[in-house]
Every structure is written in C-alpha cells, then in structure tokens.
Amino acid sequence: MSVSTSAWDAALYQDQHSFVWRYGANLLELLDPQPGERILDIGCGTGQLTQEIARRGALVTGLDSSAEMLADARKQFPQLTFVLADAARFDFPEPFDAVFSNACLHWIKQKHAEGSVASIAAALRPGGRFVAEFGGHGNIAIVQAALRKVLGTGADDRSPWYFPSIGDYAPLLERHGLEVGNASLFDRPTPLEGEDGLDHWLRMFGQTYLRPLSPEHADHVVHQLVEELRPALYRNGIWTVDYRRIRIVASRRN
Ligand code: BEZ
C-alpha cells in the first residue's frame, strides 16, 4: 500500500488497518490471476495480496517503496519476490502479463502520475492488463476539510495525495497506450476498528502533516481533528471514513 519513503509502522498497519487488503481481495477477482502468469503488485505493503496472487499460481513480484513494509512482507512470505522501488518511476527487464495495484496510486502526487503510468505501461507486454483501485475524486473530502480547518488552508499544499476523477486518469492512461475497458468511481465508506480508530488512522496516514510537529503538538492536532470529525464520522460507536474509490481495468495496446 505504501509508496512514501517515510518510515511506516508495519505493525500498526497490520494490526489496525487490515481493511486495506481485505477490501483489495475483491479487486483480485477482476485481476483473475492465472497459473504461470507474471504479475507485478505495485504498493504491495506487507504482502497479503501478493501472497494471494501467488496462491493462485502466478509468478508475482511485489513492489513497495517502504523498507519497513517490505521487511515485514519478506518475513511473512519468504518464498515471494519483493522489490524496493518507487511506484512513480521504475523499470523491469522482463515484461509482465498484468500489473495490479490496490490502495497505492493515490500516494503518487499529481506531478508524478505521468511517470507512474509510463512505468506501468512499459512494464506490460502488449495485450497485458492493468487492474487498479485507489482513492478517487472526492476521497476523504470530510477529513480533508477538517485538516484545512485545524491546520489552515496551507494543508492542501502539503497533501501527499492525488485523488483523480475518471476524466483525469483515463486520458493519462490512453496517452501511454493503455486502453481503458472499465472505469468506475464509487463511495466506499470504510469503518475503522475501535474507539481510537480515527486517532490511529490519522497517525498512520497523516504523517506528512504530523511529522513536522513536536509530539505534544501532534497529539493536540490529532485530538482537535478527532473532535472536529466526530459529528460526521462517528456513529453508534464506529468511526467510518468517507472513502471514494476509482477502479480501473485497462490493457496495453498491441
Ligand atoms: C485511501 O486508501 O483512500 C487513503 C488511505 C490513507 C490516506 C488517504 C487515502
């Protein structure tokens, strides 16, 4: 899941944020990996979906830019191949039959999206398929509004995310020879685990905003965000984040 070079807390990711790959299991049905196929899993994180692709008989390579996540992935799945690389700019000597990515590509800022798509297209054999899901236009809009309110309007400039619409992303894919067979944008409200679910989510995924602050100031900001978001996102004891997904199935032209 991770593409930032920052230190990810792989244990927190595993314990509290397993929904990231649990939702991705459904995306695997679209990928439909076949025995013997060479598949690249971009933003593989701790490797759960990489392992699931391998279980179906494909020859899979997991790619992630977080050494912490990959250390965990290699420990859990020592038989699999994992590569430390930047999802915005990578290349492989042999082409893949398919490139898969779950909950990663929104971490590639807009200015690097072109490089990422160019790398994906170059990694595919002619006719190879690209199956991906990530945060789409309007993703976490309520959380972003709270970030703006608590941290000031400059929060947008610090955002590490790009949440494109279909109209933004499909032309980008086509420019790089990827034909879009299917694209959808849909709400997927995502429940978090436990009373501290949003606190954990903010500390895991909001590092870009919190890292420059002292620990005390960061705690204060997280507390402010939690209280700001409580009326909208906390219902009957459950925190639910306003995720919106973009899902793409494309293939490289022959
Ligand atoms: C997402 O999966 O949509 C997401 C995760 C963390 C931060 C922002 C978006």
Side-chain angles (χ1 to χ4, degrees), residues 1 8 19-20 102-104 106-107 133-136 139-140 143-144 160-161 163 188 190 201 204-206 241-245:
M1 184 282 319
W8 282 89
F19 64 83
V20 175
N102 176 56
C104 161
H106 51 255
W107 292 99
E133 183 179 307
F134 51 104
N139 195 38
I140 61 164
V143 175
Q144 287 198 297
W161 306 304
F163 300 131
R188 201 204 58 207
T190 298
W201 188 95
M204 176 87 202
F205 298 118
V241 181
D242 55 329
Y243 277 23
R244 290 191 97 202
R245 314 317 277 171

Side-chain angles (χ1 to χ4, degrees), residues 13-25:
Y13 178 68
Q14 284 261 87
D15 292 349
Q16 305 279 337
H17 301 104
S18 60
F19 64 83
V20 175
W21 70 83
R22 292 193 203 289
Y23 279 112

Side-chain angles (χ1 to χ4, degrees), residues 11-222:
L12 182 63
Y13 178 68
Q14 284 261 87
D15 292 349
Q16 305 279 337
H17 301 104
S18 60
F19 64 83
V20 175
W21 70 83
R22 292 193 203 289
Y23 279 112
N26 172 272
L27 186 67
L28 274 186
E29 302 315 316
L30 276 186
L31 175 68
D32 193 19
Q34 298 299 309
E37 277 193 320
R38 282 173 46 79
I39 298 184
L40 177 64
D41 177 10
I42 299 180
C44 64
T46 49
Q48 275 70 21
L49 293 177
T50 324
Q51 155 66 12
E52 189 51 36
I53 294 169
R55 202 182 62 74
R56 301 191 189 195
L59 305 169
V60 63
T61 299
L63 178 157
D64 207 285
S65 70
S66 161
E68 290 79 11
M69 291 284 192
L70 287 188
D72 196 285
R74 288 186 176 119
K75 203 157 106 195
Q76 290 193 74
F77 309 113
Q79 73 285 12
L80 301 186
T81 303
F82 293 102
V83 172
L84 182 68
D86 184 350
R89 201 166 47 119
F90 61 85
D91 66 287
F92 285 89
E94 295 286 317
F96 291 91
D97 297 298
V99 172
F100 173 81
S101 185
N102 176 56
C104 161
L105 296 175
H106 51 255
W107 292 99
I108 313 281
K109 286 190 189 176
Q110 185 168 5
K111 63 182 174 186
H112 298 304
E114 190 94 39
S116 170
V117 170
S119 302
I120 291 165
L124 281 170
R125 67 162 169 79
R129 57 206 193 281
F130 172 52
V131 176
E133 183 179 307
F134 51 104
H137 189 69
N139 195 38
I140 61 164
I142 297 174
V143 175
Q144 287 198 297
L147 283 165
R148 241 170 265 132
K149 186 157 179 192
V150 170
L151 296 170
T153 45
D156 282 342
D157 300 332
R158 276 187 274 153
S159 166
W161 306 304
Y162 174 42
F163 300 131
S165 66
I166 294 173
D168 296 326
Y169 216 74
L172 180 58
L173 294 169
E174 285 174 358
R175 275 205 299 284
H176 291 275
L178 294 168
E179 219 157 57
V180 179
N182 205 297
S184 51
L185 180 69
F186 55 96
D187 290 331
R188 201 204 58 207
T190 298
L192 306 178
E193 282 177 28
E195 176 67 29
D196 293 330
L198 185 64
D199 182 298
H200 290 149
W201 188 95
L202 289 165
R203 290 179 196 278
M204 176 87 202
F205 298 118
Q207 288 179 32
T208 316
Y209 301 98
L210 301 177
R211 204 180 305 115
L213 311 179
S214 69
E216 298 73 26
H217 191 188
D219 285 346
H220 179 64
V221 164
V222 169

